[in-house]
Amino acid sequence: MSALPETPRVTACPRYSQAQLRRMSKDEARAVSDKLIGEMRRLDPADPLHGELRAVVVELNMPLVRYVARRFSHRREPYDDILQTGVVGLIKAIDAFDLERGVAFPGFALPTISGEIKRFFRDTSWPLHVTRGLQERFMAVARASDDLEQANGHEATDDEVAAELGITAAEVREGRDAGHGYMVDSLDVGSHDPDPGGGPLTRIPLAERLGSDDVELELVEFRVAVKPLLAELPYRERRMLELRFWGDLSQRDIAEQLGLSQMHVSRLLSATMTTLRERLEADPETDSEPDSAAERPRADARVPAGPPGAVA
């Protein structure tokens, strides 16, 4: 690439208002950035003007930082922290950018900003416990992979990373596996599923894929336990329970069917439920057989018709 044409030297740092920055197009911001970065290269880094020019270049390219930061806004870290980390990446890109390479500054800065934010997450966000040694290996592998990808233009292989770090390919894979302890998806993030009708991919939260408690399954043990207790009740009490809980009748309707007062039905239901509750909560090993024939259920006691297993 031919040398850049000589441009008048910048003797004072240009200032732009927020309104001017908003009206500036991408091409204009890129041209001004290239000019100011070129002027920075002529200055000693200790020169105050060097720092002022770099601050203007940062301001001109803040849309790049916000663009990358929004891609990570779903993380639990505060957005302001992500944005500030992106600014650090932008400053590194400004300091490392070489105008002679013929690469557009945004194309060089974007991966640098993204890599800096990714390093921030690797260093500070480990939802699962991973040993310090594996954390450091994961971060070393990740950084080397980013550097090699940027330098070579393709995704780095395990062998390339191993050669760069002076470790074995197996150790590289072990470092990559340790990253699963860092990159834990939220249950609300979901995954893409194809539409059965051939439509576009839909994102279904993982939480919706989890099974839920089956209330009927929880009642199986209760039904098995209460069945013999119901069989031991007198016919009238069993009939009242059947009408109340399976027939969904009111106490007044039950009283009319059994020829009792509503108050009597209420007392019988309350006493029966108390008895059943005490029997269910009692330790089975302490229960004893009835001592007298009067306490044993009658063999010829009638069993009312009802839902299977309800009062049989």
Side-chain angles (χ1 to χ4, degrees):
M1 179 180 177
S2 59
L4 293 175
E6 287 292 330
T7 57
R9 293 198 56 165
V10 175
T11 57
C13 182
R15 303 294 181 184
Y16 299 95
S17 66
Q18 290 299 318
Q20 289 175 318
L21 290 173
R22 284 194 295 268
R23 288 195 300 267
M24 192 176 293
S25 68
K26 294 180 180 179
D27 291 338
E28 290 173 336
R30 182 181 306 171
V32 174
S33 295
D34 288 349
K35 178 181 178 181
L36 297 182
I37 292 174
E39 185 64 25
M40 287 172 55
R41 297 294 180 264
R42 300 171 182 164
L43 297 172
D44 188 324
D47 189 326
L49 183 58
H50 183 281
E52 293 176 7
L53 292 175
R54 186 169 64 177
V56 175
V57 177
V58 168
E59 200 169 13
L60 288 168
N61 291 276
M62 278 304 295
L64 292 177
V65 179
R66 285 190 283 269
Y67 168 76
V68 178
R70 281 195 295 270
R71 293 166 52 192
F72 297 93
S73 60
H74 64 280
R75 303 295 186 99
R76 64 178 181 272
E77 284 75 11
Y79 176 75
D80 287 345
D81 291 351
I82 300 174
L83 193 65
Q84 290 175 10
T85 305
V87 172
V88 174
L90 175 60
I91 293 173
K92 290 182 177 180
I94 294 171
D95 291 342
F97 183 59
D98 185 358
L99 290 168
E100 300 295 334
R101 294 186 62 180
V103 179
F105 178 71
F108 177 81
L110 282 174
T112 307
I113 297 169
S114 178
E116 190 67 26
I117 294 176
K118 289 177 181 178
R119 291 186 185 100
F120 165 72
F121 287 127
R122 292 168 193 153
D123 293 342
T124 62
S125 304
W126 288 85
L128 301 180
H129 174 70
V130 177
T131 63
R132 184 62 184 172
L134 282 178
Q135 286 187 31
E136 292 175 351
R137 187 182 304 173
F138 165 68
M139 289 185 285
V141 168
R143 289 181 182 129
S145 299
D146 290 343
D147 293 341
L148 288 170
E149 182 176 354
Q150 190 168 357
N152 301 332
H154 64 82
E155 185 175 353
T157 65
D158 291 347
D159 290 334
E160 289 174 336
V161 176
E164 178 72 14
L165 297 178
I167 59 178
T168 66
E171 289 174 322
V172 171
R173 288 189 291 271
E174 188 178 22
R176 294 192 194 278
D177 290 341
H180 296 306
Y182 163 74
M183 294 175 287
V184 179
D185 287 335
S186 167
L187 292 179
D188 294 327
V189 172
S191 59
H192 289 292
D193 273 0
D195 188 326
L201 294 175
T202 57
R203 196 166 185 84
I204 301 176
L206 295 176
E208 295 185 8
R209 297 171 174 267
L210 299 178
S212 57
D213 294 335
D214 188 341
V215 179
E216 293 298 320
L217 185 61
E218 293 179 352
L219 292 176
V220 169
E221 185 177 353
F222 169 78
R223 288 169 176 164
V224 172
V226 80
K227 184 175 180 179
L229 301 181
L230 291 173
E232 296 176 6
L233 293 174
Y235 169 73
R236 182 177 61 182
E237 280 74 2
R238 293 205 309 274
R239 181 60 177 165
M240 279 192 299
L241 292 176
E242 179 187 4
L243 294 174
R244 180 71 183 91
F245 296 103
W246 282 271
D248 200 24
L249 298 183
S250 66
Q251 292 183 4
R252 177 177 297 180
D253 294 335
I254 296 173
E256 291 177 358
Q257 286 205 23
L258 298 182
L260 302 171
S261 68
Q262 181 178 345
M263 185 175 295
H264 194 187
V265 169
S266 177
R267 286 199 299 265
L268 288 174
L269 282 173
S270 178
T272 302
M273 293 301 296
T274 299
T275 300
L276 288 175
R277 186 178 300 109
E278 292 174 350
R279 293 293 305 277
L280 285 173
E281 294 176 353
D283 187 350
E285 296 181 0
T286 61
D287 289 346
S288 56
E289 292 294 327
D291 295 331
S292 63
E295 296 178 353
R296 299 191 185 98
R298 292 172 51 191
D300 60 348
R302 291 189 300 159
V303 177
V311 294

